[in-house]
Amino acid sequence: MPCGDLQEPGPLQGRTEVTVCARAGVMLKTMTLQGFTGQQPAPGALDLPRSPQKLPFTSEAESEASMSEASSEDLVPPLEADEAPDRDEGEAAKKKKKSKGLANMFSVFTKGRKKKSQPSSAETEGDSESQPGPAGRLPTVEELKADLEHGRLEAAGPLLALERELQAAMAAGGVSEEELLRRQSKVEALYVLLRDQVLGLLRRPLEAAPERLRQALAVLAEQEREDRAAAAAGPGPSALAATRPRRWLQLWRRGVAQAAEERLGQRPAAAAEGRTEAERAFLHMGRTMKEDLEAVVERLKPLFPAEFAVVAAYAESYHEHFAAQLADLAQFELSERDTYVLLVWVQNLYPNDVINSPKLAGELQGVGLGSLLSPEQIRLLEATFLSNQVASVKELTARALELESQRWTQDVAPQRLDGRCHSELAIDIIQIISQGQAKAESITLDLGAQMKHLLLVELAAFLNSYQRAFDEFLERSKQLRNYRANVIANINNCLSFRMFVDQKWQTPQDIPSHLLSPLDELKSHGVDTLLQSLFGALKPLFKRFTQTRWAAPAQTLEEIISVVGERLPEFSELQDCFREELMEVVHLHLVKEYIVRLSKRRLVLKTAEQQQQLAGHILANAELIQRFCTQNGSPATWLHRALPMLAEIIRLQDPSAIKIEVATCAAWYPDFSKGHLSAILAIKGNLTNSESRGIRSILDIHTGAREPSKSLFSLVKVG
């Protein structure tokens, strides 16, 4: 249709046309275009659970204002009524025929979208003559407005055709600028209604019927194509105001971001007792984001065009708001618990339970959401967390030791567990250390490795404090009734600590020697305390050996063994391993004291027969000691050779043979010195001084120890 026909004023334009045109221009600049430049917030995001809140798109009142004076005459080209006197009737009829072109163009859009092979406007005009009636009638502005207000998105087609016809009229020329702007204002007012309908549906997509949602998405996709086409064509001289790109897709994404903010910003419901406000907020945001994104994947992704990237749009919006909330929170001084919870969410729960959850992992793999906090913020929070944990472990272990010490001094009897004296101290300390380690590992394994070394230092410090407190108890509380039971309970604690260390630091090189030394000292001091009264009772019996000049060594030793046997039940409440260690101490004490009596230099035997008789007694006594101690659990097999070797030195008469036996003894017991040898040789009254010196000289030769040496002869003092 020639656009020049739109230039002449028609019979329906007699109502102050200049005023209408001016008003149309003002509406276009002050209202209509502003809504399409992306300056207003737009809807388009998921809303779960739904609330009746409406996003601030251009209001319906605004649309009504723009459409208040709209009529079919405003959008339809004016009819030719007053022809010039010099024109003939044929030309007037021709022009009247052409005025139906825009109406016929609308009839095309009521039948379907116009394809590239569709006829031109001139061809459509010719066809319209043969299609009179309602099907070819141009929808009036009131009809388009009513359709849009009732949510009939089919009106988008005729509206787009009207926009194109307006562009064609401008390109053809012959229509005044005021007239073009007036018509454009009506087009844009209708677009405001269409935009509100489309984005309103996308504002709460899960509430819309799938077919309605598809219609809205189709309109949005078509508007995006028109925006791209306009951008590709580039700006040109035009009397019309630039209305593209309309950026509806951008407005939809902005609405998604706004919905994410609303959803994550809702106050969480009343939480379980014991959770902090920050913890409730993290839980609410994480759970909401996961559930909402799963709904997007399951229900919206199948409906949305792939180019809209609906899952990425929602995920990015939710991620950005979640990250912003956490970044703001990280600026404040957080409590110990909130620091931990924040790190758990940032480093563990969010990436593993939300982003990489079974339903979302495949969808979000290529989105690249990243971390909720920057690396610098994470490092600072981790340093704070480690410092908090070390301080907490130090405080809790000190408190546990203080409470345990009070039980000792208050003479509170320890618990019995499976017939053993039991203390809860080791369990308390192990739980404190393990919980600190577990909390760090629940954030990241790397942080757990850092915490492990710090806790090792704290455990060593605690064990030193434990040993000092126990030693103080041993010295000051001997008169208490439950003294021995508490000593046994604390010795048993060493087993729990040792097992914990062995399991926590599994390889020997990971266990510093200083870590276990306080336990060894504590156990040793406790065992010595338990055996102190027994060894005191044995002392006068051992003196009989020298007092009777070894006249009846068998009877004396049997009495000693009898006393030890009677006292062993006192140690039954020790753990089995410690009872064996205690028996090894008893075994060592019996052998050592026997050697002490042999080394007193009060017995001198000048004949070989006397020396052989004494050697026989020593061998018999050594066998009795070995059998008794072994039967009662002593693992000290390293003590078995000591007394028989001394008996052999006493029995032998040939200096060369004696030297060989001395060398063998020194190999088994590196602390066997010349002083000890001299004390034994003093029994052999038939050796000359030169022979004695020759025998002692064999110890000047290093024979090398056959196994890791333990102290025996060094415990025997000789003059």
Side-chain angles (χ1 to χ4, degrees), residues 52 155 269 345 380 382 405 469 483 631-632:
W345 270 102
L380 181 60
E382 286 181 342
S405 300
Y483 175 76
Q631 288 175 350
N632 285 280

Side-chain angles (χ1 to χ4, degrees), residues 181-239:
L181 291 175
R182 184 179 69 83
R183 295 175 188 175
Q184 186 184 33
S185 71
K186 305 307 178 184
V187 171
E188 296 307 315
L190 291 174
Y191 265 120
V192 169
L193 290 177
L194 178 61
R195 182 196 65 184
D196 287 351
Q197 287 292 336
V198 170
L199 297 183
L201 284 170
L202 298 180
R203 174 68 177 85
R204 294 180 177 85
L206 295 180
E207 295 179 359
E211 189 56 39
R212 289 279 291 162
L213 189 58
R214 287 191 184 94
Q215 283 185 308
L217 291 169
V219 173
L220 182 59
E222 187 171 46
Q223 289 300 311
E224 277 298 297
R225 288 193 294 271
E226 291 296 318
D227 281 355
R228 289 194 295 270
S238 174

Side-chain angles (χ1 to χ4, degrees), residues 480-530:
L480 297 178
R481 182 180 59 180
N482 293 302
Y483 175 76
R484 291 177 63 84
N486 277 314
V487 171
I488 292 175
N490 281 281
I491 294 174
N492 289 339
N493 267 340
C494 295
L495 177 61
S496 300
F497 281 121
R498 185 176 293 277
M499 291 175 60
F500 171 67
V501 170
D502 290 342
Q503 293 171 1
K504 202 72 175 177
W505 291 271
Q506 296 179 357
T507 56
Q509 55 268 28
D510 290 339
I511 306 175
S513 58
H514 69 272
L515 179 63
L516 298 180
S517 59
L519 291 177
D520 294 335
E521 290 293 324
L522 186 150
K523 178 190 63 178
S524 176
H525 294 173
V527 169
D528 289 345
T529 299
L530 294 177

Side-chain angles (χ1 to χ4, degrees), residues 171-479:
V175 182
S176 68
E177 180 177 347
E178 291 182 351
E179 174 64 16
L180 290 172
L181 291 175
R182 184 179 69 83
R183 295 175 188 175
Q184 186 184 33
S185 71
K186 305 307 178 184
V187 171
E188 296 307 315
L190 291 174
Y191 265 120
V192 169
L193 290 177
L194 178 61
R195 182 196 65 184
D196 287 351
Q197 287 292 336
V198 170
L199 297 183
L201 284 170
L202 298 180
R203 174 68 177 85
R204 294 180 177 85
L206 295 180
E207 295 179 359
E211 189 56 39
R212 289 279 291 162
L213 189 58
R214 287 191 184 94
Q215 283 185 308
L217 291 169
V219 173
L220 182 59
E222 187 171 46
Q223 289 300 311
E224 277 298 297
R225 288 193 294 271
E226 291 296 318
D227 281 355
R228 289 194 295 270
S238 174
L240 297 175
T243 59
R244 290 196 182 275
R246 299 188 190 278
R247 297 186 177 90
W248 285 11
L249 187 61
Q250 179 179 340
L251 294 176
W252 166 70
R253 286 175 177 152
R254 188 180 301 166
V256 171
Q258 193 172 38
E261 181 177 355
E262 291 176 0
R263 289 284 292 143
L264 298 184
Q266 292 175 355
R267 178 179 291 274
E273 186 176 349
R275 286 180 178 158
T276 66
E277 183 176 354
E279 191 173 358
R280 293 196 299 270
F282 298 152
L283 182 60
H284 162 71
M285 289 190 289
R287 180 179 296 166
T288 300
M289 180 175 179
K290 181 180 179 181
E291 293 175 353
D292 288 6
L293 291 184
E294 287 177 351
V296 170
V297 169
E298 294 173 357
R299 300 173 59 184
L300 297 187
K301 184 184 176 184
L303 301 177
F304 273 68
E307 61 268 21
F308 284 13
V310 62
V311 177
Y314 277 97
E316 290 168 355
S317 295
Y318 275 70
H319 175 85
E320 289 173 4
H321 184 73
F322 203 158
Q325 293 290 96
L326 265 60
D328 290 343
L329 187 63
Q331 302 300 318
F332 296 95
E333 183 175 352
L334 301 174
S335 67
E336 178 181 337
R337 181 176 178 84
D338 286 345
T339 300
Y340 164 68
V341 173
L342 178 57
L343 281 172
V344 166
W345 270 102
V346 171
Q347 297 285 72
N348 185 351
L349 297 181
Y350 182 76
N352 296 323
D353 292 0
V354 178
I355 302 304
N356 286 315
S357 65
K359 294 182 179 180
L360 299 179
E363 301 292 339
L364 301 180
Q365 188 174 11
V367 178
L369 296 179
S371 175
L372 290 172
L373 292 177
S374 68
E376 293 77 12
Q377 289 175 309
I378 291 175
R379 283 196 295 270
L380 181 60
L381 286 170
E382 286 181 342
T384 302
F385 167 78
L386 292 174
S387 177
N388 288 342
Q389 283 302 114
V390 169
S392 176
V393 167
K394 188 187 297 291
E395 178 183 356
L396 291 175
T397 53
R399 186 183 305 166
L401 179 58
E402 181 181 1
L403 292 174
E404 185 69 13
S405 300
Q406 290 176 0
R407 294 188 187 97
W408 304 338
T409 57
Q410 292 171 3
D411 201 21
V412 177
Q415 302 177 32
R416 262 70 176 183
L417 186 63
D418 296 330
R420 307 289 190 269
C421 291
H422 172 74
S423 168
E424 293 289 329
L425 177 63
I427 295 176
D428 293 341
I429 300 303
I430 290 171
Q431 286 182 346
I432 293 169
I433 299 292
S434 298
Q435 287 172 1
Q437 180 71 26
K439 287 178 71 173
E441 291 176 348
S442 70
I443 299 172
T444 64
L445 293 179
D446 289 341
L447 194 63
Q450 297 179 50
M451 177 59 72
K452 184 175 182 179
H453 293 294
L454 296 175
L455 293 178
L456 187 66
V457 173
E458 289 305 312
L459 179 58
F462 166 79
L463 293 178
N464 280 309
S465 299
Y466 181 28
Q467 181 203 338
R468 290 193 296 270
F470 183 67
D471 285 346
E472 183 176 349
F473 166 71
L474 292 179
E475 291 295 326
R476 298 184 178 182
S477 304
K478 294 179 180 180
Q479 74 284 358

Side-chain angles (χ1 to χ4, degrees), residues 680-710:
I680 299 302
L681 293 178
I683 298 174
K684 299 175 70 67
N686 56 354
L687 284 177
T688 65
N689 291 335
S690 61
E691 288 174 336
S692 296
R693 285 194 299 270
I695 294 172
R696 286 196 299 269
S697 67
I698 197 66
L699 294 180
D700 294 332
I701 303 173
H702 178 67
T703 57
R706 297 194 178 188
E707 63 179 35
S709 60
K710 294 183 179 181

